[in-house]
Amino acid sequence: MRVADLAALNAARAERKAAALVVPLDGGAGRLVMRGDFAADPLADVLHARFANGKSGREETAEGEVFVAIHRPSPRLVVVGAVHVSQVLAPMAAAAGFDVTIVDPRTAFATEERFAGVKMVAEWPDAALLALDPETALATLTHDPKIDDPALEAGLTADCFYIGALGSRKTHARRVERFAAKGFDDAAMGRINAPIGLPIGAASPAEIAVSVLAEVIAALRLGPAKAAKLSAAA
């Protein structure tokens, strides 16, 4: 690996940015490709699939056999709302490999007794506090615009790989009106999965948590566009 690539890879890791190292197996010079730049690479399709599944491996390509080493930070899940759904969602997401944080300024809900062992922040979810990034999924579950809206704005700005909001279609329509008044266009609002979760007929908090986590994993492994198709087709 070239020294410059190693330095760039270390910087990417420190900044929680995904990158791929493409190494020709004939001994040729490799290259480092950042996830945000892969669309312009000759192996764009290969890199898209590898970034999605997070797995490294050999590939037969037009430029010969290469090894693609994926360096992707652990996915984070930030849940806004210390509600019943969150109590089930947090341990399931942690078991699936997510670094989970629960955020809720309502100290009556955000208690150690209700979320033992879960990273919890009992403060208002502003952008600086949430520290979101493209490797983070965001789920807002409070039903309270004063709490959910700032987090959703932060998620859109940070380009989170998944953004979901609890609430009916009518609730989301009012949300779209509020965000349009702030300058968010249809494309931005289309990135919010609302109602949140795959439409599997979930009724109980536990079932809703399953539907939310399934949608988050679909966005992580298949990409937001394919996950949206799943939500629309189910």
Side-chain angles (χ1 to χ4, degrees), residues 124-231:
W124 288 90
D126 61 31
L129 172 73
L130 296 174
L132 303 173
D133 61 35
E135 300 298 325
T136 299
L138 170 70
T140 63
L141 305 177
T142 75
H143 275 303
D144 185 341
K146 296 193 301 300
I147 301 174
D148 287 349
D149 283 7
L152 292 171
E153 290 185 38
L156 290 170
T157 302
D159 196 24
C160 289
F161 76 84
Y162 173 85
I163 304 172
L166 192 67
S168 66
R169 297 188 186 282
K170 186 176 180 180
T171 297
H172 187 58
R174 291 195 293 268
R175 181 184 295 123
V176 170
E177 292 176 357
R178 292 195 301 275
F179 276 62
K182 296 179 179 179
F184 289 91
D185 59 18
D186 290 344
M189 299 313 298
R191 295 183 51 222
I192 299 177
N193 294 272
I196 195 171
L198 290 182
I200 59 174
S204 68
E207 291 174 350
I208 294 171
V210 170
S211 73
V212 172
L213 183 57
E215 194 170 56
V216 170
I217 291 173
L220 175 69
R221 298 304 183 198
L222 304 177
K226 288 186 177 179
K229 288 182 179 178
L230 282 178
S231 297

